Amino acid sequence: MRDLAAGMRYLGKGQRWVARHGRWWGFGLIPALIALVLYAAVLTVLALWSGDIAAWATPFADDWGSPWQGLLRGVFVALLFAGGLMLSVLTFTAVTLLIGDPFYESLSEKVEESEGYCPPSPDRPLWQEIWIALRDSVHVLLRAAGFGILLFALGFVPFLGQTVVPAVGFCVSGFFLTVELTSVALQRRDIPVRERLRLLRGRKALAVGFGTPVVLLFLIAFVAVVLMPGAVAGATLLVRDLVADEEEPPAPDRDAAAAGHDPAAGAAYGQPGAPYAQPGAPGGFGAAPAPYPANQGQPQAPQQYPRPQSGPGSSAARPPAAW
């Protein structure tokens, strides 16, 4: 439940970020407006032809009497349009991200810079970035389509098809929508799509908590366009949490390393900043070893001791002490 609530909070944080940076919000609207025009045309055609598609798909019901024929085909049309609408929500994000790849890459980088650190992008040409984004989107959409077909078939089950299946469908759509939205920040980290899916499967509640409200809000006309920049910003913030344990070092250390300067090099013996704690240093493992004599390896002259005095009371007259 904690991850579920955290995912919802990331959506709110993303919307607040673009609200504070109005120029970037307007910048992110451009690809979403282009995609909206395309999808409005496709959904209009689907609505006009859905009755003919239902009649073509259910020829066995041509001889059915009233009201069974109309009921069956009415359910088919409703499920067809609902499936098309759900698919449009998923593909809207993918197509919008594909159209607006340079736009959303810049937006995501700005979000990360405002949080203190933005990992460098892979050194690839723009056409290759777009090709990778297209290939990854197809991979994700094929997986989502498999779940969509299964849920579509389960929609005909009485009671469950009208209650449980739609709820599960929204959660599945929310998960895959999160996969799409986080692809901008994860692709910059050069994380392949299968690894992205593994990361998000490990935090399913976080992904569902972020993506499901976006799916529900995207069903409202024009809301997808308005919320798209904030959704990308929120997904970027979510990625920073998702890969926090695997993130690169802060920029100053990276820059110092690039300049050939090792912060640990030249540190005093046993002082903080040395690569390892040295013996005898504060926090080390004991006293420092004594330095080797300069004439190590050469024969040493025997050390002379004073000759013991003989007679009563002398040390020679006493028996040796027990150790």
Side-chain angles (χ1 to χ4, degrees):
M1 291 300 294
R2 182 178 300 175
D3 267 359
L4 195 67
M8 297 178 185
R9 284 197 298 270
Y10 279 119
L11 179 59
K13 288 179 181 178
Q15 300 304 325
R16 287 194 297 272
W17 192 94
V18 295
R20 293 194 305 266
H21 303 78
R23 185 173 69 88
W24 287 98
W25 176 74
F27 186 72
L29 286 180
I30 298 172
L33 286 169
I34 296 172
L36 178 67
V37 173
L38 296 175
Y39 276 86
V42 171
L43 288 174
T44 301
V45 170
L46 180 63
L48 293 175
W49 289 86
S50 59
D52 294 335
I53 295 173
W56 170 81
T58 58
F60 55 86
D62 288 343
D63 299 330
W64 289 14
S66 180
W68 304 114
Q69 184 190 77
L71 183 62
L72 173 68
R73 289 180 176 173
V75 170
F76 186 92
V77 168
L79 291 173
L80 178 66
F81 194 77
L85 199 59
M86 187 172 295
L87 187 62
S88 71
V89 170
L90 291 172
T91 56
F92 177 86
T93 303
V95 171
T96 304
L97 291 174
L98 189 63
I99 294 172
D101 185 74
F103 295 83
Y104 294 128
E105 178 66 28
S106 300
L107 172 61
S108 179
E109 287 180 359
K110 187 67 177 178
V111 172
E112 298 223 52
E113 288 171 3
S114 70
E115 293 295 310
Y117 172 62
C118 178
S121 301
D123 187 14
R124 287 192 289 255
L126 178 61
W127 68 267
Q128 191 174 2
E129 291 285 344
I130 294 175
W131 165 249
I132 292 173
L134 177 60
R135 182 193 63 194
D136 292 350
S137 294
V138 170
H139 179 87
V140 173
L141 289 173
L142 286 176
R143 286 175 175 258
F147 282 97
I149 293 171
L150 175 62
L151 292 170
F152 181 81
L154 292 175
F156 289 97
V157 178
F159 183 71
L160 292 179
Q162 293 75 46
T163 55
V164 177
V165 172
V168 174
F170 281 121
C171 292
V172 170
S173 299
F175 175 85
F176 283 108
L177 186 60
T178 302
V179 174
E180 288 289 350
L181 287 169
T182 54
S183 65
V184 178
L186 290 173
Q187 186 176 327
R188 180 166 57 255
R189 289 164 169 81
D190 211 16
I191 298 177
V193 63
R194 288 181 175 83
E195 180 66 13
R196 298 175 211 165
L197 288 165
R198 185 193 66 80
L199 284 171
L200 289 168
R201 280 198 302 267
R203 301 283 296 277
K204 286 189 185 74
L206 183 69
V208 170
F210 179 84
T212 304
V214 178
V215 171
L216 295 172
L217 291 169
F218 277 17
L219 294 176
I220 305 172
F222 303 108
V223 169
V225 177
V226 176
L227 295 184
M228 190 66 186
V232 173
T236 302
L237 295 172
L238 185 148
V239 166
R240 292 177 67 86
D241 177 21
L242 196 66
V243 299
D245 297 335
E246 305 172 20
E247 193 58 275
E248 295 88 344
D253 290 348
R254 191 185 70 247
D255 295 340
H261 173 67
D262 184 358
Y269 178 82
Q271 295 299 319
Y276 301 97
Q278 299 290 342
F285 302 104
Y292 293 106
N295 57 352
Q296 182 182 7
Q298 299 180 7
Q300 304 290 319
Q303 186 172 2
Q304 300 296 324
Y305 295 94
R307 182 182 299 275
Q309 301 295 325
S310 60
S314 69
S315 59
R318 290 194 298 266
W323 297 94

